[in-house]
Amino acid sequence: MDYNFKEIEKRWQNYWREHKTYSAKDLTDQPKYYGLSMFPYPSGAGLHVGHPLGYIASDIYARYKKLKGFNVLHPMGYDSFGLPAEQYAIQTGQHPAVTTEQNLARYREQLDKIGFSFDWDREVRTSDPNYYKWTQWIFKQLYNAWYDKTTNKAETIDKLVAIFENEGNGEINAATDQTERFTASDWKGFSEKEQQAILMNYRLTYLADSWVNWCPALGTVLANDEIKDGVSERGGHPVEQKLMRQWSMRITAYAERLINDLADVDWTDSIKDQQKNWIGKSVGASVIFKTETGEDIEVFTTRPDTIFGVSFMVLAPEHELVKKLTTADRQEAIETYQKQTSLKTERDRQADVKTISGAFTGAYALHPFTGEKIEIWIADYVLAGYGTGAVMAVPCGDQRDYDFANHFGIEIKNIFKDVDISESAYTEKDATITDSDFLTDLPAKKAIKLAIYEIEKRGFGKGQTNYRLRDAVFSRQRYWGEPFPVYYKDEIPYLVEDDKLPVTLPDVDKYLPTEDGEPPLARAKSEDWNVFEGDRMEYNTMPGWAGSSWYFLRYMDPHNEQVFVSKEKADYWNQVDLYIGGSEHATGHLLYARFWTKFLFDMGFISFNEPFKKMINQGMILGRSSFVYRDKDSGKFVSFGKRKEYATSRLHADIHLVDNDELNIDGFKNWLPEYKDASFILEDNGTYICGHEVEKMSKSKYNVQTPDELVEKFGADTLRCYEMFLGPLEQAKPWDTKGINGVHNFLRKLWRLFHDADNNFEVSEGEPDKKSLKTLHKAIKKIQEDLDRYSFNTAVSNFMIATNELTEQQCNNKNILGELLILLSPYAPHIAEELWAKLGNKESITKAKFPTFNPDFLVEAEFEYPVSFNGKMRFKLPLPTNMSKEDIEAAVLTNDQSAKYLDGKTPKKVIVVPGRIVNIVI
RNA sequence: GCUCGAGUGGUGGAAUUGGUAGACACGCAAGACUUAAAAUCUUGUGUCCAUUAGGACGUGCGGGUUCAAGUCCCGCCUCGAGUACCA
């Protein structure tokens, strides 16, 4: 065999490991580059070809930056806490740490085979106590902090206590759930328990009774981003609302900064939009409507300009005032309606948006400006959890209010000048307001400002900004996660001292909840804990996103036992320059990591407030399934071309039995017992052709391709190049091994540039040919440009073009080939190292310098001008590149071929773009 | 519904600032080598008309701007992703 990739790849992988080729040096004078891939959860299924896609791109870029003289940090680790290992533990009784360890070993083996330039000495695992010690420590910092909305940053809780002692909470502008005011002397009079309860309302992580998404099948609560279409993202189980005492993270304090700072990061608009929508900022006003009975109803509106169009009010059925407001005669109807809505699950409520329902309370509010009586209704289209759980209904300006008013025959006032609202509400903010007292004749946008001004002046409300974002529930009732550094005395939570961290996971007899419904950790006896204080330890564990919210910092200083990352190293490595991973983390990991980064920045631990400067989201690789067609009558398998002649049903065939859509018939018979005696109706040429379709890769579709089998067959270099060659990184694309031969052939062709017909290494010294220099420098230019715009697929094409050209030129010049190898080494590092060594280099090619592009080699004496007539290219004419516009025009017009197209006419206009094109308008 | 992205040969895709549409690769076809196959090499390959020369059409659809449009503008269609009573 000429190009023996197996031997070559093994040799260089060993070399790299022994020489620690990819170890990053801290704090050098070189410019730094931090390239990161989202670390994987090590599942039992191992990697399929979709997983390494982003890693390969990330690896190529890291290697490229190294050749460009950067000090490169390119680490890898594992998000190794998670549900699947625990579910498996419940079924088998095996400790999740054991399964996780096995899966990890398998991942590592697969990753190693692909030849990544990871600095494995910096590996982190979120389930490692040495790592989660610091996750617990950061939790403690959050607990001991509050958010000052005036300075717009987090501050220590000590500062807050000092303020309480001096002046109470009257003047403080904090992110808090605390509504009651107290003075300094009140504070001093409170008991320890009372003081702690108040502080809880300010802490950035806090314990509170909150409505949570409870998933009975998984036995745990879930965050909003862990729910898709009303069911759990993992497993697809139903979710219900439940009031539980839970740890939460006050991420809402950062809502504004999380939106604003998106301007500073280079991410796709799609991800930025998703985050913006998730945070859901709306600017408006909160307005208080008095009721006849004297209760205040506070509403939130983004359209205070339409306040004179209010014709009724709607409260959420769960609203606390409903009971007080409802008149005796309406009691029954209201209770029936409340019951009706409470029986509906979240999913039903979402699914049934069309049906309009509601009930009148019998009570009336008074319009704050006109004093007019306004009916108060309840309806499930108003959500208890958003805003104040109450709206002022303006049917002319809101479609839901409009539909509701129509359904129940409530008056619709039109306060928009010259706008027809007979068919639907007018929701644009560009109308002129009319019939609205002091707002009349103002354009909506001005009216909004004036309305807020008047509302504030008259004291029945204020301008306000609301966010859809909720505080993030941080407790999980599961075993396989970080324990909290928390113990309880008299059910008051206290933090474990720093020098006792980490609180490690205790062993338990079963990974299931206790009979009283407590989380699995409640099974541990006091002696099972490495730290046990107070009456009991916290039974909950942290969610999956705890460890992943700061892991990129730990890679900078993975073995530090004093701090989670030293300030010095964090300053040096700074932000992640390029982050590559899936876009499915848009509202989870990527939001939480930004939140924690901002917090750590506020507290002065790090000097940057956004974690990931640039991000690329790789597209999903889809599988290409193969199908066989079974005749329903005879049970015979009909080939693709003849399937229409029979009534067939379509069945998946394992893609490993199919080559270029042709089925390996014997293999198929041996595949599953039921196909042992299968008989076939073949194409006329005697083959069985399969059908195909692009689907998600999954075991049940028999279309999973692992990287291992391809590395085995073609080598890691081929796999790396092929994954890049498939198409743009960001795009979803079908996986099809058809093309892999082409890429493999390219590497073999490259190999042959360095060898004679008998595979003897043979290169020539001396001055390279001009043509070859041109080929090389064209390639340098192209590949540099491709990398700079992250166009990995076109770079592979350009390598092929260069190799094809050099083959044609029969070029085996040492200088040319050496430079080409450096260019190629980020993509195909093994073959590049091998040939580089054969050229006589003593050091690894990773230590080389990226070639410098010299435009002189591309200068040509002649350019072949495409000559167009009326925009249609007719013929080509080679002309000197230094020829003037006038001379080019003359040369083209006097050319014999032009006469035919001119047909005796005089051209109206001639456009000459030197070095590009000539266009003649007739 | 809203937001974002994408529609180019038989297939994956290329065309970076408006300037030769289909680079590169797969597949397919023909040929060379071979007893044969595989591998390799050569040639061809957008569609239609034409023996050739050549011509017409062609980047989801319909308009527009321009000497020139896959690329810019307006209006639609289809597919994918996200989100959904958010006041």
Side-chain angles (χ1 to χ4, degrees), chain A residues 423-489:
Chain A
E423 291 297 320
S424 65
Y426 188 75
T427 54
E428 305 296 321
K429 280 187 194 172
D430 57 7
T432 301
I433 307 294
T434 191
D435 287 337
S436 294
D437 193 3
F438 58 92
L439 297 176
T440 300
D441 291 333
L442 285 177
K445 281 177 186 160
K446 277 192 179 162
I448 290 174
K449 284 185 187 148
L450 184 63
I452 294 174
Y453 174 81
E454 283 293 328
I455 287 165
E456 288 182 352
K457 199 172 100 183
R458 304 193 195 189
F460 40 74
K462 58 179 194 303
Q464 192 175 308
T465 301
N466 260 4
Y467 301 92
R468 196 184 80 113
L469 183 72
R470 305 287 88 193
D471 280 347
V473 176
F474 197 67
S475 315
R476 297 291 182 274
Q477 292 67 45
R478 303 289 301 205
Y479 177 77
W480 192 229
E482 298 88 346
F484 283 77
V486 170
Y487 63 90
Y488 291 87
K489 239 185 324 196

Coordinates of all heavy atoms in Angstrom, one line a residue, chain A residues 423-489:
Chain A
E423 N -63.1 45.0 11.1 CA -62.7 43.6 10.8 C -61.8 43.1 11.9 O -61.9 41.9 12.3 CB -62.0 43.5 9.5 CG -63.0 43.7 8.3 CD -64.1 42.7 8.2 OE1 -63.8 41.5 8.5 OE2 -65.2 43.1 7.9
S424 N -60.9 43.9 12.3 CA -59.9 43.5 13.3 C -59.3 44.7 14.1 O -59.5 45.8 13.7 CB -58.8 42.7 12.7 OG -58.0 43.5 11.8
A425 N -58.6 44.4 15.1 CA -57.9 45.4 15.9 C -56.8 46.0 15.1 O -56.2 45.4 14.2 CB -57.4 44.9 17.2
Y426 N -56.4 47.2 15.4 CA -55.2 47.9 14.8 C -54.1 47.9 15.7 O -54.1 48.6 16.7 CB -55.6 49.3 14.3 CG -54.5 49.9 13.4 CD1 -54.4 49.5 12.1 CD2 -53.7 50.8 14.0 CE1 -53.4 50.0 11.3 CE2 -52.7 51.4 13.2 CZ -52.5 51.0 11.9 OH -51.6 51.5 11.1
T427 N -53.1 47.0 15.5 CA -52.0 46.9 16.5 C -50.7 47.6 16.2 O -49.8 47.6 17.0 CB -51.7 45.3 16.6 OG1 -51.4 44.8 15.4 CG2 -52.9 44.6 17.2
E428 N -50.7 48.3 15.1 CA -49.5 49.1 14.7 C -49.4 50.3 15.6 O -50.4 50.8 16.0 CB -49.5 49.5 13.3 CG -49.6 48.4 12.3 CD -48.5 47.4 12.3 OE1 -47.3 47.8 12.5 OE2 -48.7 46.2 12.2
K429 N -48.1 50.7 15.9 CA -48.0 51.9 16.7 C -47.8 53.2 15.9 O -47.0 54.0 16.2 CB -46.7 51.7 17.6 CG -47.0 50.9 18.8 CD -45.7 50.9 19.7 CE -45.8 49.8 20.8 NZ -44.6 49.6 21.5
D430 N -48.5 53.3 14.8 CA -48.3 54.4 13.9 C -49.5 55.3 13.7 O -49.5 56.2 12.8 CB -47.7 54.0 12.6 CG -48.6 52.9 11.9 OD1 -49.7 52.7 12.4 OD2 -48.2 52.4 10.9
A431 N -50.6 55.0 14.4 CA -51.8 55.8 14.2 C -51.8 57.1 15.0 O -51.0 57.3 15.8 CB -53.0 54.9 14.6
T432 N -52.8 57.9 14.7 CA -52.9 59.1 15.5 C -54.1 58.9 16.4 O -55.1 58.3 16.1 CB -53.3 60.3 14.5 OG1 -52.2 60.5 13.6 CG2 -53.5 61.6 15.3
I433 N -53.9 59.3 17.7 CA -54.9 59.1 18.7 C -56.0 60.1 18.6 O -55.8 61.3 18.4 CB -54.2 59.2 20.1 CG1 -53.0 58.2 20.2 CG2 -55.2 58.8 21.2 CD1 -53.3 56.8 20.1
T434 N -57.2 59.7 18.9 CA -58.3 60.6 18.9 C -59.3 60.3 20.0 O -59.2 59.2 20.7 CB -59.1 60.6 17.5 OG1 -59.9 61.7 17.5 CG2 -59.8 59.3 17.3
D435 N -60.3 61.2 20.3 CA -61.2 60.9 21.4 C -60.6 60.6 22.7 O -61.0 59.7 23.5 CB -62.2 59.8 21.0 CG -63.2 60.3 20.0 OD1 -63.4 61.5 19.9 OD2 -63.7 59.4 19.2
S436 N -59.4 61.2 23.0 CA -58.6 60.8 24.2 C -58.2 61.9 25.0 O -57.0 62.0 25.4 CB -57.5 59.9 23.7 OG -57.9 58.7 23.1
D437 N -59.0 62.9 25.2 CA -58.7 64.0 26.1 C -57.4 64.7 25.7 O -57.2 65.0 24.6 CB -58.6 63.5 27.6 CG -58.6 64.6 28.6 OD1 -58.7 65.8 28.2 OD2 -58.5 64.3 29.8
F438 N -56.4 64.7 26.6 CA -55.1 65.4 26.3 C -54.2 64.6 25.3 O -53.2 65.2 24.9 CB -54.3 65.6 27.6 CG -54.0 64.3 28.4 CD1 -52.8 63.6 28.2 CD2 -54.9 63.8 29.3 CE1 -52.6 62.4 28.8 CE2 -54.7 62.6 30.0 CZ -53.5 61.9 29.8
L439 N -54.6 63.4 25.0 CA -53.8 62.7 24.0 C -54.3 62.9 22.5 O -53.6 62.5 21.6 CB -53.8 61.2 24.3 CG -53.2 60.8 25.7 CD1 -53.3 59.3 25.9 CD2 -51.7 61.2 25.7
T440 N -55.5 63.4 22.4 CA -56.1 63.6 21.1 C -55.2 64.3 20.1 O -54.5 65.3 20.5 CB -57.4 64.3 21.2 OG1 -58.3 63.6 22.1 CG2 -58.1 64.5 19.9
D441 N -55.1 63.8 18.9 CA -54.3 64.3 17.8 C -52.8 64.1 17.9 O -52.1 64.6 17.1 CB -54.6 65.8 17.6 CG -56.0 66.0 17.0 OD1 -56.5 65.1 16.4 OD2 -56.6 67.1 17.3
L442 N -52.4 63.3 18.9 CA -51.0 63.0 19.0 C -50.7 61.7 18.3 O -51.5 60.8 18.3 CB -50.5 62.9 20.4 CG -50.4 64.1 21.3 CD1 -50.0 63.8 22.7 CD2 -49.3 65.0 20.7
P443 N -49.5 61.6 17.6 CA -49.2 60.3 17.1 C -48.9 59.3 18.2 O -48.4 59.7 19.3 CB -47.9 60.5 16.3 CG -47.4 61.9 16.8 CD -48.5 62.6 17.3
A444 N -49.1 58.0 18.0 CA -49.1 57.0 19.1 C -47.8 57.1 19.9 O -47.8 57.1 21.1 CB -49.3 55.6 18.5
K445 N -46.7 57.2 19.2 CA -45.4 57.2 19.9 C -45.2 58.3 20.9 O -44.7 58.2 22.0 CB -44.2 57.1 19.0 CG -44.1 55.7 18.5 CD -43.0 55.5 17.4 CE -43.1 54.0 16.9 NZ -42.4 53.8 15.6
K446 N -45.7 59.5 20.5 CA -45.6 60.7 21.4 C -46.6 60.5 22.5 O -46.4 60.9 23.6 CB -45.9 62.0 20.6 CG -44.7 62.5 19.9 CD -45.0 63.9 19.4 CE -43.7 64.5 18.7 NZ -44.0 65.6 17.8
A447 N -47.8 60.0 22.1 CA -48.9 59.8 23.1 C -48.4 58.9 24.3 O -48.8 59.1 25.4 CB -50.1 59.3 22.4
I448 N -47.6 57.9 23.9 CA -47.1 56.9 24.9 C -46.4 57.7 26.0 O -46.6 57.5 27.2 CB -46.3 55.8 24.3 CG1 -47.1 54.9 23.5 CG2 -45.5 55.0 25.4 CD1 -46.4 53.8 22.7
K449 N -45.5 58.6 25.5 CA -44.6 59.3 26.5 C -45.5 60.2 27.3 O -45.3 60.3 28.5 CB -43.6 60.1 25.7 CG -42.5 59.2 25.2 CD -41.4 60.1 24.5 CE -40.4 59.2 23.9 NZ -39.7 59.8 22.7
L450 N -46.4 60.9 26.7 CA -47.2 61.9 27.4 C -48.1 61.2 28.4 O -48.3 61.6 29.5 CB -48.0 62.8 26.5 CG -48.9 63.9 27.2 CD1 -48.0 64.9 27.9 CD2 -49.8 64.6 26.2
A451 N -48.7 60.0 28.0 CA -49.5 59.3 28.9 C -48.8 58.9 30.1 O -49.3 59.0 31.3 CB -50.1 58.1 28.2
I452 N -47.6 58.4 30.0 CA -46.8 57.9 31.1 C -46.5 59.2 32.0 O -46.6 59.1 33.3 CB -45.4 57.3 30.7 CG1 -45.7 56.0 30.0 CG2 -44.5 57.0 31.9 CD1 -44.5 55.3 29.4
Y453 N -46.2 60.3 31.4 CA -45.9 61.5 32.2 C -47.1 61.9 33.0 O -47.0 62.1 34.2 CB -45.5 62.6 31.2 CG -45.4 64.0 31.9 CD1 -44.2 64.3 32.5 CD2 -46.4 64.9 31.8 CE1 -44.0 65.5 33.1 CE2 -46.3 66.1 32.4 CZ -45.1 66.5 33.1 OH -44.9 67.7 33.7
E454 N -48.3 61.8 32.4 CA -49.5 62.2 33.1 C -49.9 61.2 34.2 O -50.3 61.6 35.3 CB -50.7 62.3 32.1 CG -50.7 63.6 31.3 CD -50.9 64.9 32.1 OE1 -51.7 64.8 33.2 OE2 -50.3 65.9 31.8
I455 N -49.7 59.9 33.9 CA -50.0 58.9 34.8 C -49.1 59.0 36.1 O -49.6 58.9 37.2 CB -49.8 57.5 34.2 CG1 -50.9 57.1 33.2 CG2 -49.7 56.4 35.3 CD1 -50.6 56.0 32.3
E456 N -47.8 59.3 35.9 CA -46.9 59.5 37.0 C -47.3 60.8 37.8 O -47.3 60.8 39.0 CB -45.5 59.6 36.5 CG -45.0 58.2 36.1 CD -43.5 58.3 35.6 OE1 -42.9 59.3 35.5 OE2 -43.0 57.2 35.4
K457 N -47.6 61.9 37.0 CA -47.9 63.2 37.6 C -49.2 63.0 38.5 O -49.2 63.5 39.6 CB -48.2 64.2 36.5 CG -48.1 65.6 37.1 CD -48.1 66.7 36.0 CE -49.5 67.3 35.8 NZ -49.6 68.2 34.7
R458 N -50.2 62.3 38.0 CA -51.4 62.2 38.8 C -51.3 61.1 39.8 O -52.3 60.8 40.6 CB -52.6 62.0 37.9 CG -52.7 63.1 36.8 CD -54.0 63.1 36.1 NE -53.9 63.9 34.9 CZ -55.0 64.2 34.2 NH1 -56.2 63.7 34.5 NH2 -54.8 65.0 33.1
G459 N -50.2 60.3 39.8 CA -50.0 59.4 40.9 C -50.7 58.1 40.8 O -50.9 57.4 41.8
F460 N -51.2 57.7 39.6 CA -51.8 56.3 39.6 C -51.0 55.4 38.7 O -51.6 54.5 38.1 CB -53.3 56.4 39.2 CG -53.7 57.3 38.2 CD1 -53.4 57.1 36.9 CD2 -54.4 58.5 38.5 CE1 -53.8 58.0 35.9 CE2 -54.8 59.4 37.6 CZ -54.5 59.1 36.2
G461 N -49.7 55.5 38.7 CA -48.9 54.6 38.0 C -47.5 55.1 37.7 O -47.2 56.2 38.1
K462 N -46.8 54.3 36.9 CA -45.4 54.8 36.6 C -44.9 54.0 35.3 O -45.5 52.9 35.0 CB -44.4 54.6 37.7 CG -44.3 53.1 38.2 CD -43.3 53.1 39.3 CE -42.9 51.6 39.6 NZ -43.9 50.7 40.0
G463 N -44.0 54.6 34.7 CA -43.4 54.0 33.5 C -42.6 52.7 34.0 O -42.1 52.7 35.1
Q464 N -42.7 51.6 33.3 CA -42.1 50.4 33.8 C -41.7 49.5 32.6 O -42.3 49.5 31.5 CB -43.1 49.7 34.6 CG -42.5 48.5 35.4 CD -43.5 47.9 36.4 OE1 -44.1 48.6 37.2 NE2 -43.7 46.6 36.3
T465 N -40.7 48.7 32.9 CA -40.2 47.8 31.9 C -40.4 46.4 32.5 O -40.1 46.1 33.6 CB -38.7 48.0 31.6 OG1 -38.6 49.3 31.1 CG2 -38.2 47.0 30.6
N466 N -41.0 45.5 31.7 CA -41.2 44.1 32.1 C -40.4 43.2 31.3 O -40.1 43.4 30.1 CB -42.7 43.8 32.0 CG -43.4 43.9 33.3 OD1 -42.8 44.2 34.3 ND2 -44.7 43.5 33.3
Y467 N -40.1 42.0 31.9 CA -39.3 41.0 31.2 C -40.1 39.7 31.3 O -40.7 39.4 32.3 CB -37.9 40.8 31.8 CG -37.1 42.1 31.7 CD1 -37.1 43.0 32.8 CD2 -36.4 42.4 30.6 CE1 -36.4 44.1 32.7 CE2 -35.6 43.5 30.5 CZ -35.6 44.4 31.5 OH -34.9 45.5 31.5
R468 N -40.1 38.9 30.2 CA -40.7 37.6 30.2 C -39.8 36.6 31.0 O -40.3 35.6 31.5 CB -40.8 37.2 28.7 CG -41.7 36.0 28.5 CD -41.7 35.6 27.0 NE -40.5 34.8 26.8 CZ -40.6 33.5 26.4 NH1 -41.7 32.9 26.3 NH2 -39.5 32.8 26.2
L469 N -38.5 36.9 31.0 CA -37.6 36.0 31.6 C -37.9 35.8 33.1 O -38.3 36.8 33.8 CB -36.2 36.7 31.6 CG -35.0 35.9 32.2 CD1 -34.7 34.7 31.3 CD2 -33.8 36.8 32.3
R470 N -37.9 34.6 33.6 CA -38.2 34.3 35.0 C -36.9 33.9 35.7 O -35.9 33.5 35.0 CB -39.2 33.1 35.1 CG -40.5 33.2 34.4 CD -41.4 34.1 35.0 NE -41.2 35.5 34.5 CZ -41.7 36.6 35.0 NH1 -42.5 36.5 36.1 NH2 -41.5 37.7 34.5
D471 N -36.8 34.0 37.0 CA -35.7 33.5 37.7 C -35.6 32.0 37.4 O -36.6 31.3 37.3 CB -35.8 33.8 39.2 CG -35.5 35.2 39.5 OD1 -34.9 35.9 38.6 OD2 -35.8 35.7 40.6
A472 N -34.4 31.5 37.4 CA -34.1 30.1 37.0 C -34.1 29.2 38.2 O -33.4 29.4 39.1 CB -32.8 30.0 36.2
V473 N -35.0 28.2 38.1 CA -35.0 27.2 39.2 C -33.7 26.4 39.2 O -33.3 26.0 38.2 CB -36.2 26.3 39.1 CG1 -36.2 25.2 40.2 CG2 -37.5 27.1 39.2
F474 N -33.1 26.3 40.4 CA -31.7 25.8 40.4 C -31.6 24.4 41.2 O -30.6 23.8 41.2 CB -30.8 26.8 41.1 CG -29.3 26.6 40.9 CD1 -28.8 26.7 39.6 CD2 -28.5 26.2 41.9 CE1 -27.4 26.5 39.4 CE2 -27.1 26.0 41.7 CZ -26.6 26.2 40.4
S475 N -32.7 23.9 41.7 CA -32.7 22.7 42.4 C -33.2 21.6 41.5 O -34.2 21.8 40.7 CB -33.6 22.7 43.6 OG -33.5 23.8 44.4
R476 N -32.6 20.4 41.6 CA -33.2 19.2 40.9 C -33.3 18.1 42.0 O -32.4 17.9 42.8 CB -32.3 18.8 39.8 CG -32.1 19.8 38.7 CD -33.4 20.0 37.9 NE -33.2 20.9 36.8 CZ -33.3 22.2 36.9 NH1 -33.6 22.7 38.1 NH2 -33.1 23.0 35.9
Q477 N -34.4 17.4 41.9 CA -34.6 16.3 42.9 C -34.0 15.0 42.4 O -34.6 14.0 42.3 CB -36.1 16.1 43.1 CG -36.8 17.3 43.8 CD -36.8 18.6 42.9 OE1 -37.1 18.5 41.8 NE2 -36.4 19.7 43.5
R478 N -32.7 15.1 42.1 CA -32.0 14.0 41.5 C -30.7 13.7 42.2 O -30.3 14.5 43.0 CB -31.7 14.3 40.0 CG -32.9 14.7 39.2 CD -33.8 13.5 38.9 NE -33.1 12.4 38.2 CZ -33.7 11.5 37.5 NH1 -35.0 11.5 37.3 NH2 -33.0 10.5 36.9
Y479 N -30.1 12.6 41.9 CA -28.9 12.2 42.6 C -27.6 12.7 41.8 O -26.7 13.3 42.4 CB -28.8 10.7 42.7 CG -27.5 10.2 43.3 CD1 -27.3 10.3 44.7 CD2 -26.5 9.7 42.5 CE1 -26.1 9.9 45.2 CE2 -25.3 9.2 43.1 CZ -25.1 9.3 44.4 OH -23.9 8.9 45.0
W480 N -27.6 12.5 40.5 CA -26.3 12.7 39.8 C -26.1 14.1 39.4 O -26.2 14.5 38.2 CB -26.3 11.7 38.6 CG -24.9 11.6 37.9 CD1 -24.7 11.6 36.6 CD2 -23.7 11.3 38.5 NE1 -23.4 11.4 36.3 CE2 -22.7 11.2 37.4 CE3 -23.2 11.1 39.8 CZ2 -21.4 10.9 37.6 CZ3 -21.9 10.8 40.0 CH2 -21.0 10.8 38.9
G481 N -25.8 15.0 40.4 CA -25.5 16.4 40.1 C -24.7 16.9 41.3 O -24.4 16.1 42.3
E482 N -24.3 18.2 41.2 CA -23.5 18.7 42.3 C -24.4 18.9 43.6 O -25.5 19.5 43.5 CB -23.0 20.1 41.9 CG -22.1 20.2 40.7 CD -22.8 20.3 39.4 OE1 -24.1 20.1 39.4 OE2 -22.2 20.6 38.4
P483 N -23.9 18.4 44.7 CA -24.6 18.7 46.0 C -24.5 20.2 46.3 O -23.5 20.8 45.9 CB -23.9 17.8 47.0 CG -23.0 16.9 46.3 CD -22.7 17.6 44.9
F484 N -25.4 20.7 47.0 CA -25.3 22.1 47.4 C -24.4 22.2 48.7 O -24.4 21.3 49.5 CB -26.7 22.6 47.8 CG -27.6 23.0 46.6 CD1 -28.2 22.0 45.9 CD2 -27.7 24.3 46.3 CE1 -29.0 22.3 44.8 CE2 -28.5 24.6 45.2 CZ -29.2 23.6 44.5
P485 N -23.6 23.3 48.8 CA -22.8 23.5 50.0 C -23.7 24.1 51.1 O -23.4 25.2 51.6 CB -21.7 24.4 49.5 CG -22.4 25.2 48.4 CD -23.4 24.3 47.8
V486 N -24.8 23.4 51.4 CA -25.8 24.0 52.3 C -26.3 23.0 53.3 O -26.5 21.8 53.0 CB -27.0 24.4 51.4 CG1 -28.2 24.8 52.3 CG2 -26.7 25.6 50.5
Y487 N -26.4 23.4 54.5 CA -27.1 22.6 55.5 C -28.2 23.4 56.2 O -28.2 24.6 56.0 CB -26.1 22.0 56.5 CG -25.4 23.1 57.4 CD1 -25.9 23.5 58.6 CD2 -24.2 23.7 56.9 CE1 -25.3 24.5 59.4 CE2 -23.5 24.6 57.7 CZ -24.1 25.0 58.9 OH -23.5 26.0 59.6
Y488 N -29.0 22.7 57.0 CA -30.2 23.4 57.6 C -30.1 23.2 59.1 O -29.8 22.1 59.6 CB -31.5 22.8 57.1 CG -31.7 23.2 55.6 CD1 -31.2 22.3 54.6 CD2 -32.5 24.3 55.3 CE1 -31.5 22.7 53.3 CE2 -32.7 24.6 53.9 CZ -32.2 23.8 52.9 OH -32.4 24.1 51.6
K489 N -30.4 24.3 59.8 CA -30.7 24.3 61.2 C -32.0 25.0 61.4 O -32.2 26.1 60.9 CB -29.6 25.1 61.9 CG -28.8 24.2 62.9 CD -27.8 24.9 63.8 CE -27.0 26.1 63.2 NZ -25.9 26.5 63.9

